[in-house]
Amino acid sequence: MNLIKPIKSALISVYHKENLDTITQLLKQFDVHIYSTGGTQQFLESQGAKVTSIESLTGYPSILGGRVKTLHPKVFGGILARKDNSEDAQQTEQYEIPTFDLVIVDLYPFEKTVESQASDSEIIEKIDIGGISLIRAAAKNFKDVAIIAAQSQYRLLIEMLEKNNGGTTLEDRKLLATHAFATSSHYDSHIFNYFNQHTQLTQLRVSFKEGKVLRYGENPHQKGVFFGNLYDMFEQLNGKELSYNNLVDVEAAIALVEEFEQTAFVIVKHTNACGVAIAETPLEAYQKAFACDTISAFGGVIATNRPVDLVTALELNKLFFEVLIAPSFHPEALGTLNSKKNRIILQQLQPLKNTAQYKTLLNGVLWQEKDNVVENEQQFKNITEKIPTKNEIKALEFALKICKHTKSNTIILANENVLIASGVGQTSRVDALEQAIEKAKHFGFSLQGAVMASDAFFPFPDCVEIAHKAGITAVVQPGGSVKDVDSIDYCNKNKVAMVFTGVRHFKH
């Protein structure tokens, strides 16, 4: 049977006092003996509760500027004592140690202190010692003690007390212990990561407090969960719940559109851009991006770095798309876009902050820094007799930004403000180029005077030859092939400008 164990005594030591008043009133109602210290004790007493101070229990005051308050055998003995162990019972009686049925702790806000860019000394002082020890002790002894390890769990405790008339069941206490160890491990992970910024041990700690269960994963037969807080990143203004695939494409669209300072629109399908353009106005940028590939844009994910006005919304409304992301929306534009109930409209509240990428494989995890490098004219090394013109340089810079965010092997064909066509995810660079040329022809684009960007070097001169014959006049690539000279010779003979960057942008 899942017996209800009444709570007769509680130890409370919290940093945040908000919402503690309801619990205080419940504990008073059930005549619970409360032990506390410092500011928590003062708060509880202000709520009319009778409180025994930890100092009077231990015979020691809070010392070392508050660093030591609860670290004492009379506190931890009362938490760790096993009620069904006769030796434990004998010792608690011998040393006059009161036992506790409930421990409520709220840790110092270490994570938020780091995020606030506080000084090292302020951050170190927010490493909780007593609190984390209380949590682990109470969670270990869950058979006898209920542990509340964070303010977010107050509501859960209130529900349990009301349901069980001031008590908890073993099932309740085991659930609370699980929450407690989640809290302590998350807390320690962030402390480790803070210190490891400087020591850089080859170890990995990743922890998120929140997880959102998705409808399914990449496919309906796969489970999926998003860990993190989407509402820090977005406000969803319309539409259905975001799916796993939506989230992947939203990340891809935002990562690309954030590369541009000018007014830009990006259309993404399966993480690859099928439309990218910059222009003077959002409407013009969207129209040019859509014209890149009017077929793939159907059901895509769209992102812009400018507010969406009514005239742009009216044009967008002609297309079926899954998601639209923008920094803001004019009210009348939002009214138009919300006309389709399932269409997802996201207002982006902050930029992407990820600095690392993770991938599970081979029964382990692969980690790498995020690719934050984008080359421009300053990094271009002219290696052909013909030097690119100013317009070609702008086009090469534009094409490289897209190339970096496209699946390898990739070739990008563009002018200075529009993606003309791309070859993506091909097993050879020649295949990627031929795919891009064919796509440009299909949508009626001329490649005369366009430029080409490649994510990696050309092992043979075939790509520059094919590109030149299609009308390409300038090329950007990392360089580094043992046969670079063959590509350079072809460009020199045919008056094609080519620059090297020295930076590869594989994306798998």
Side-chain angles (χ1 to χ4, degrees), residues 279-290:
E280 291 296 319
T281 67
L283 174 62
E284 185 184 359
Y286 167 67
Q287 289 174 325
K288 288 182 175 181
F290 175 64

Side-chain angles (χ1 to χ4, degrees), residues 9 42 45 81 171 199 208 277 295 336-337 354 356 377 439 485:
S9 63
Q42 293 174 13
E45 289 174 338
E171 184 180 352
T199 54
F208 291 95
I295 296 175
T336 297
L337 294 167
N354 297 337
E377 184 179 4
K439 201 164 192 179
V485 66

Side-chain angles (χ1 to χ4, degrees), residues 443-471:
F443 288 102
F445 287 103
S446 170
L447 292 175
Q448 297 301 315
V451 305
M452 174 173 71
S454 175
D455 59 334
F457 64 61
F458 299 123
F460 304 102
D462 45 10
C463 280
V464 291
E465 181 179 352
I466 295 168
H468 165 249
K469 289 178 179 177

Side-chain angles (χ1 to χ4, degrees), residues 23-239:
I23 292 176
T24 305
Q25 298 310 314
L26 275 172
L27 296 180
K28 283 171 55 182
Q29 176 184 329
F30 296 116
D31 198 27
V32 176
H33 189 163
I34 299 175
Y35 295 81
S36 190
T37 185
T40 306
Q41 179 180 349
Q42 293 174 13
F43 175 84
L44 295 169
E45 289 174 338
S46 74
Q47 298 293 308
K50 293 181 180 179
V51 181
T52 298
S53 69
I54 294 296
E55 291 82 356
S56 66
L57 171 64
T58 64
Y60 282 88
S62 172
I63 61 173
L64 306 181
R67 282 188 164 198
V68 180
K69 299 176 185 176
T70 57
L71 295 168
H72 193 279
K74 282 202 170 184
V75 175
F76 282 87
I79 297 172
L80 287 164
R82 294 159 289 188
K83 300 291 177 64
D84 60 354
N85 185 296
S86 59
E87 189 174 342
D88 285 7
Q90 180 184 351
Q91 290 181 347
T92 55
E93 183 178 358
Q94 177 183 353
Y95 296 110
E96 298 180 335
I97 298 174
T99 57
F100 301 105
D101 304 305
L102 170 66
V103 175
I104 303 177
V105 182
D106 181 33
L107 298 171
Y108 292 161
F110 177 84
E111 199 175 339
K112 289 185 177 179
T113 305
V114 172
E115 289 174 357
S116 72
Q117 298 183 327
S119 66
D120 282 346
S121 60
E122 290 175 299
I123 291 170
I124 296 303
E125 285 307 310
K126 288 299 184 289
I127 298 177
D128 206 312
I129 303 300
I132 204 79
S133 302
L134 292 170
I135 289 172
R136 291 180 64 84
K140 177 177 181 177
N141 199 25
F142 68 89
K143 286 186 177 180
D144 294 306
V145 182
I147 171 65
I148 296 297
Q151 189 180 19
S152 60
Q153 296 158 26
Y154 286 0
R155 173 48 53 187
L156 184 57
L157 175 64
I158 291 168
E159 290 172 358
M160 288 177 179
L161 294 179
E162 290 178 340
K163 176 183 176 183
N164 299 320
N165 197 30
T168 58
T169 65
L170 180 60
E171 184 180 352
D172 291 336
R173 295 190 295 278
K174 194 166 186 177
L175 173 62
L176 293 175
T178 304
H179 280 297
F181 284 121
T183 297
S184 65
S185 64
H186 179 83
Y187 195 77
D188 285 340
S189 293
H190 281 274
I191 294 172
F192 167 79
N193 288 332
Y194 170 74
F195 278 92
N196 205 39
Q197 294 176 100
H198 311 291
T199 54
Q200 295 186 333
L201 299 180
T202 310
Q203 297 184 26
L204 178 64
R205 301 287 188 280
V206 181
S207 179
F208 291 95
K209 282 184 180 178
E210 300 175 63
K212 178 178 175 56
V213 176
L214 305 174
R215 284 176 287 162
Y216 49 79
E218 200 163 8
N219 299 292
H221 62 276
Q222 296 170 268
K223 293 180 180 179
V225 180
F226 174 80
F227 292 98
N229 189 347
L230 279 175
Y231 301 109
D232 284 346
M233 185 85 191
F234 304 110
E235 180 181 357
Q236 185 166 347
L237 305 176
N238 189 67

Side-chain angles (χ1 to χ4, degrees), residues 343-410:
R343 177 187 285 162
I344 299 168
I345 305 296
L346 301 176
Q347 181 176 348
Q348 187 176 348
L349 305 177
Q350 57 179 262
L352 293 172
K353 296 179 180 179
N354 297 337
T355 58
Q357 295 173 316
Y358 310 89
K359 182 181 289 187
T360 58
L361 49 78
L362 301 175
N363 299 329
V365 176
L366 201 59
W367 175 97
Q368 70 169 354
E369 292 179 329
K370 191 175 179 181
D371 183 359
N372 288 319
V373 175
V374 181
E375 307 81 64
N376 55 35
E377 184 179 4
Q378 280 67 45
Q379 287 81 45
F380 289 173
K381 181 181 179 181
N382 296 309
I383 45 84
T384 53
E385 294 168 0
K386 183 177 184 294
I387 306 301
T389 66
K390 287 185 178 180
N391 284 346
E392 286 174 336
I393 287 172
K394 288 181 181 178
L396 292 171
E397 290 176 335
F398 177 82
L400 266 179
K401 290 176 180 178
I402 304 169
C403 192
K404 168 186 162 182
H405 292 274
T406 307
K407 294 283 187 182
S408 299
N409 288 312
T410 185

Side-chain angles (χ1 to χ4, degrees), residues 254-278:
I254 292 173
L256 178 51
V257 82
E258 285 185 351
E259 298 281 6
F260 301 102
E261 294 181 2
Q262 310 97 315
T263 300
F265 256 90
V266 168
I267 306 173
V268 164
K269 199 73 171 288
H270 298 295
T271 75
N272 292 307
C274 58
V276 184
I278 55 176

Side-chain angles (χ1 to χ4, degrees), residues 474-491:
V475 177
V476 59
Q477 57 139 318
S481 169
V482 294
K483 294 188 176 182
D484 276 344
V485 66
D486 293 344
S487 294
I488 295 169
D489 286 345
Y490 181 89
C491 289

